[in-house]
Amino acid sequence: MNISAKHSAIEVEVHGNFVDGREIEAGAGQMLDIRNPATGDVIARIPNSTTEDIDRAMKSARAAFEGKAWGGMDTRSRARLVNHLADAFEANLDTLYRLETLNNGRPVNETRAQLSRLPDFFRYFAGLALARRDSVIPVEGSYLNYTLRTPIGIVANCTPFNHPLMIMCKSLAAVLASGCVTVVKPSEYTPLTTLKLAQIFTEAGLPPGVFNVVLGLGQSAGKMLAEHGDINKLVLTGGTEAGRIAGGAAAKVFAHQTMELGGKTPVMVFDDYDVDQAVNYAVFGAFIGAGQTCVCASRHIVQASIYDEFVEKLKAKTLSIRIGDPFDPTTQLGPVISARQRDRVLSYSQYGREDGARLVTGGVAARVPGHENGFFVQPTVFADVKSDMRIFQEEVFGPFTSVTPFKDEADALRLANDSPFGLAAAIRTRDVGRAHRVASAVKAGIVWINDHHRLDPASPWGGVDDSGIGREFGTESFDDHFNTKSVMVATHDQPFDWYRDTATQRRLN
């Protein structure tokens, strides 16, 4: 249910949770403001869900999972429906990417390009559903052994603010194609496109209760969802500490877990690679999405022989980036999500200066005419950064990158692996042997050679160490939405009586 009210001369939508196929009116509890990060204006209000709200969504999900409309649907019918949902998504792209730009501040060209990929996520997993085969396993003796896979049930999904729809759809596509159901808790900063997609999919024929949305703060609504006794799988994208808390709660009910957590991506640039091309990738990797990505190119590790040239060209390229209104098609960098995040990014500029790094450019808030209350930060580059500095070790999550020189391949790997994180890494070289050696040795779940930030629904996505566990995308993600049942069938008709023939038995099992 959408209710409109006037707030500071701006029309503010009041939203409730989306449960059992419809948006329900917000209760009388705490309400949260949703702001446009480009202006600071309140654009919507949402409830901070209570225990009763979470329970209601979970009951709806369980009823859908066990009901005939969804739980009784055969695989081919489900795959056709998922493909139909992809078509419905595509038909509403214009509405969705504009709403996402309004809600999270990414330039409209970025959101259009990113969201246009998402329908194919659903088509890929619909294809996996059709292609799925269970196994027949050769075993000793006269037995037929085969497996049956059954959907695990309710997937609780806590999503972040930086890529609201894209990250949610990485999970949702596999959920729907596998026959599971979901309760999604989007970021309290960016819930609007998730609510809109739930409405679109319901109108396109998705049965009620399959895709529920609960709103609220991560530390309350998200925590209650993660520790709910009826979840069967937890998917979370967020900070490492949030992952530890949520993962510990979900472990108490032995739920499957997939978590994409923090990152501090090293980019190793060798001197046989074109410097101009390396710089082009550097600004893309560091500043796309205002640097608010877990795979942000936040640590550039550059061979000493090209280090000075790289830094000067990176400075020039960074200074050319156009900061402005996200709805202006010429804008190349929008705001960060909130005043709190802006202040966090600026605090790391102070840490860099205090620790002796050289500020190349940026390091301050950006002023955008007509958007004086927006949360803009100038893209920031620090050079001469050492591995013991905070800006080398800690995730900033903003338009912020550092540059560190290295001597040789071993030194590059030492610096790249000097991190608690292990989500992504990138390598810039024309030496084929080196590329594969370094890719094998670097600590990361994702490696790009002469590219950055590329993904595909067929390619597994996830990290190691403090960057999380499990994988999204690919057959790895699809398979983790099932419980595997082993069925052993005796194909012989030999008599059996253990307690009569115990002395002559050669084996117990």
Side-chain angles (χ1 to χ4, degrees), residues 453-500:
H453 213 311
R454 302 299 174 183
L455 55 78
D456 190 277
S459 180
W461 179 280
V464 298
D465 292 352
D466 283 5
S467 289
I469 59 172
R471 294 295 180 267
E472 293 178 298
F473 285 157
T475 57
E476 292 84 353
S477 172
F478 185 70
D479 290 344
D480 197 44
H481 287 78
F482 294 92
N483 288 318
T484 301
K485 182 184 299 184
S486 176
V487 180
M488 184 79 73
V489 183
T491 58
H492 60 78
D493 58 1
Q494 299 171 3
F496 175 80
D497 186 342
W498 173 270
Y499 293 102
R500 189 190 67 183

Side-chain angles (χ1 to χ4, degrees), residues 24 37 135 209 295 305 308 321 338 377 396 409 462 478 498:
I24 56 179
S135 302
V295 295
S305 56
D308 291 338
I321 295 174
S338 65
V377 177
V396 179
E409 184 177 313
F478 185 70
W498 173 270

Side-chain angles (χ1 to χ4, degrees), residues 128-439:
L128 284 187
L130 289 174
R132 179 174 70 89
R133 292 184 176 183
D134 289 315
S135 302
V136 176
I137 304 170
V139 295
E140 184 180 0
S142 300
Y143 294 92
L144 170 66
N145 183 208
Y146 63 91
T147 60
L148 294 173
R149 287 188 291 174
T150 56
I152 57 175
I154 300 176
V155 178
N157 187 6
C158 297
T159 62
F161 64 77
N162 55 338
H163 310 295
L165 269 191
M166 190 272 282
I167 289 177
M168 193 267 293
C169 287
K170 283 197 294 184
S171 171
L172 183 62
V175 164
L176 299 182
S178 65
C180 292
V181 296
T182 191
V183 178
V184 179
K185 206 297 287 182
S187 167
E188 58 268 29
Y189 291 108
T190 55
L192 300 185
T193 46
T194 300
L195 285 169
K196 185 64 177 176
L197 189 64
Q199 176 191 342
I200 290 168
F201 279 7
T202 298
E203 292 173 353
L206 188 65
V210 175
F211 178 11
N212 301 282
V213 183
V214 292
L215 306 171
L217 298 171
Q219 61 264 38
S220 54
K223 181 176 181 292
M224 288 186 288
L225 181 61
E227 65 188 16
H228 199 284
D230 205 29
I231 68 170
N232 302 108
K233 179 178 171 69
L234 172 66
V235 177
L236 181 143
T237 301
T240 299
E241 289 309 310
R244 288 194 174 101
I245 294 168
K252 293 179 181 178
V253 295
F254 303 106
H256 296 230
Q257 295 185 31
T258 298
M259 295 195 204
E260 185 206 303
L261 306 177
K264 193 68 176 175
T265 301
V267 179
M268 290 164 277
V269 183
F270 291 89
D271 61 7
D272 63 341
Y273 194 77
D274 181 78
V275 174
D276 291 319
Q277 186 72 349
V279 166
N280 289 341
Y281 275 125
V283 293
F284 170 75
F287 305 134
I288 196 76
Q292 297 172 121
T293 71
C294 296
V295 295
C296 170
S298 53
R299 293 187 294 153
H300 285 88
I301 300 167
V302 181
Q303 196 150 20
S305 56
I306 59 169
Y307 179 79
D308 291 338
E309 181 185 4
F310 179 90
V311 171
E312 286 306 308
K313 289 185 173 181
L314 179 58
K315 175 182 179 180
K317 188 74 175 181
T318 300
L319 288 170
S320 75
I321 295 174
R322 294 188 295 273
I323 309 169
D325 178 0
F327 280 99
D328 183 342
T330 66
T331 291
Q332 297 174 321
L333 184 72
V336 296
I337 193 64
S338 65
R340 179 182 178 183
Q341 192 63 24
R342 176 198 60 202
D343 294 344
R344 173 183 168 82
V345 176
L346 296 179
S347 72
Y348 275 91
S349 295
Q350 182 63 29
Y351 299 149
R353 288 189 287 263
E354 289 172 356
D355 289 344
R358 172 165 55 99
L359 179 63
V360 175
T361 186
V364 295
R367 306 301 176 191
V368 177
H371 294 71
E372 284 76 11
N373 294 322
F375 312 128
F376 295 88
V377 177
Q378 288 186 7
T380 299
V381 177
F382 274 91
D384 306 341
V385 176
K386 295 181 172 58
S387 62
D388 60 352
M389 293 181 181
R390 291 186 65 173
I391 62 173
F392 187 93
Q393 291 290 337
E394 299 178 13
E395 186 174 35
V396 179
F397 222 67
F400 189 108
T401 194
S402 69
V403 192
T404 301
F406 74 84
K407 295 179 294 184
D408 53 25
E409 184 177 313
D411 192 34
L413 276 166
R414 178 188 63 80
L415 290 164
N417 288 338
D418 185 5
S419 171
F421 300 109
L423 182 56
I427 304 161
R428 311 278 182 255
T429 183
R430 293 299 177 190
D431 184 324
V432 174
R434 174 193 287 150
H436 292 291
R437 281 195 310 273
V438 174

